């Protein structure tokens, strides 16, 4: 594999990793916002139940005064707390929406980086396959060349041996006469 292709692969891996880390960080912020929103929603629900119960409870035996100032101020305080909690919940919902809007393009960027990385990885795989094919062909050509040379050498040896045998035979047969 060429050095430039290795460098591109390394850069794509780093870009994908950076996009993943950024997405994870922002997703964590979104989860925190959603968790805070859910906690606030539970708190608002609990406060509403307490306020509802304050309407349905009988006045205690120690404070039998109808519409005592303490009961009314407690009720107003509970109402104000509920209103503030509702306002805080709306703010948290806005925060969740903003965080979700921030996460969406990061998720798209991460997906794009992953796609680019996979494309480069496929390119590297193809290059490696081409390199292996070229190496296999070179090795096969070397083996073919070696066998061709060896076959030619055997033929020459066989010819020279047969020529030597014929000459030796001719000398033997010629010396007998």
């Amino acid at each position: 594999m060429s050095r430039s292709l290795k460098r591109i692969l390394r850069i794509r891996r780093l870009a994908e990793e950076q996009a993943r880390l950024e997405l994870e960080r922002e997703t964590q912020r979104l989860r925190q916002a959603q968790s805070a929103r859910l906690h606030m929603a539970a708190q608002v629900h609990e406060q509403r139940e307490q306020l509802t119960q304050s309407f349905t409870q009988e006045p205690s035996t120690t404070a039998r005064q109808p519409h005592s100032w303490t009961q009314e101020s407690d009720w107003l305080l509970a109402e104000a707390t509920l209103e503030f909690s509702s306002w805080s919940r709306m703010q948290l919902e806005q925060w969740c929406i903003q965080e979700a809007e921030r996460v969406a393009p990061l998720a798209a960027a991460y997906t794009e980086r992953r796609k680019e990385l996979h494309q480069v990885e496929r390119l590297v795989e193809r290059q490696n396959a081409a390199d292996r094919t070229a190496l296999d062909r070179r090795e096969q050509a070397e083996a073919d060349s070696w066998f061709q040379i060896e076959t030619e050498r055997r033929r020459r040896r066989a010819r020279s041996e047969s020529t030597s045998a014929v000459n030796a035979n001719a000398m033997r047969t010629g010396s007998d006469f």
Side-chain angles (χ1 to χ4, degrees), residues 66-124:
H67 264 28
S68 76
W69 184 80
T70 306
Q71 288 176 340
E72 190 171 323
S73 66
D74 287 346
W75 183 82
L76 288 173
L77 184 61
E79 181 71 26
T81 304
L82 178 62
E83 185 67 29
F84 179 75
S85 295
S86 296
W87 180 81
S88 294
R89 190 175 119 215
M90 288 187 327
Q91 294 291 49
L92 287 172
E93 287 175 5
Q94 285 298 319
W95 184 33
C96 286
I97 290 169
Q98 290 171 350
E99 289 300 318
E101 288 172 353
R102 287 174 47 152
V103 167
L106 293 175
Y110 173 66
T111 303
E112 185 63 28
R113 297 292 174 256
R114 291 219 17 110
K115 189 187 312 178
E116 290 171 357
L117 176 62
H118 287 302
Q119 289 172 345
V120 172
E121 286 174 341
R122 282 193 300 267
L123 183 62
V124 166

Side-chain angles (χ1 to χ4, degrees), residues 127-153:
Q127 182 64 42
N128 286 340
D131 290 347
R132 280 192 304 273
T133 302
L135 179 63
D136 289 346
R137 286 180 182 162
R138 252 191 323 271
E139 288 174 351
Q140 185 63 44
E142 288 173 4
D144 290 346
S145 176
W146 182 84
F147 280 113
Q148 188 177 16
I149 291 170
E150 190 62 27
T151 303
E152 187 60 34
R153 193 177 329 157

